[in-house]
Amino acid sequence: MLGHYLMFNRNCEEAIKTYEKAFNGTITEMRKYSDMPPNPAFPIPEENKNLVLHARLQIDDMEIMCADSSEKSTKGNNMYVSITTKDEALVKDAWDLLKQEGEIYMDLSPSFFATLHGSLQDKYGVNWMFTALK
């Protein structure tokens, strides 16, 4: 699946509910940081536990995904092209190519929700998010 991933500054839940109403869509998933399994390498401060970790909005046959950013994002730099697939080889190959001369935001690695997940900005300034589903 090719989609858009929007990052928000602590107001993702408000934004996705606004978009749901504006486009007569349906929020199909909303996970908070408090839903994550505990991980000593990634402690969640109490004030961040109610922030959106991942949400999905269905609009007709389209989907927008979004989350609250852990860092303050700048307008225009808060969108990602999101690749979600079960094809792990495709994710690895695309990652290996696009990371060249780019900037890795989150290294491609296993996560609690996917076989592989990571994000980067390629050398052209485009933000990418890769997810290989289990």
Side-chain angles (χ1 to χ4, degrees), residues 99-113:
K99 74 178 184 182
Q100 295 175 24
E101 298 180 55
E103 179 184 351
I104 294 173
Y105 298 136
M106 180 186 294
D107 207 3
L108 188 66
S109 61
S111 75
F112 72 96
F113 60 88

Side-chain angles (χ1 to χ4, degrees), residues 3-110:
H4 293 84
Y5 208 101
L6 308 177
M7 300 301 291
F8 293 91
N9 292 317
R10 307 183 76 83
N11 60 354
C12 180
E13 186 169 2
E14 176 186 347
I16 196 171
K17 286 179 179 179
T18 299
Y19 301 153
E20 178 183 43
K21 187 175 182 180
F23 299 109
N24 196 26
T26 302
I27 297 171
T28 59
E29 181 178 11
M30 188 175 315
R31 294 183 185 207
K32 303 289 181 97
Y33 276 88
S34 60
D35 296 328
M36 285 178 55
N39 181 348
F42 190 72
I44 306 297
E46 194 62 39
E47 65 271 13
N48 291 351
K49 289 188 176 181
N50 202 37
L51 295 177
V52 175
L53 173 67
H54 177 69
R56 302 166 87 95
L57 175 64
Q58 191 72 37
I59 304 168
D60 290 332
D61 60 349
M62 300 171 287
E63 181 178 68
I64 294 174
M65 296 176 285
C66 55
D68 282 307
S69 178
S70 59
E71 298 178 10
K72 187 159 177 62
S73 57
T74 56
K75 291 180 181 180
N77 196 28
N78 58 344
M79 291 191 269
Y80 290 75
V81 177
S82 175
I83 305 294
T84 305
T85 179
K86 291 183 178 180
D87 188 343
E88 193 172 320
L90 173 75
V91 167
K92 286 180 180 177
D93 290 346
W95 178 268
D96 288 342
L97 182 65
L98 294 180
K99 74 178 184 182
Q100 295 175 24
E101 298 180 55
E103 179 184 351
I104 294 173
Y105 298 136
M106 180 186 294
D107 207 3
L108 188 66
S109 61

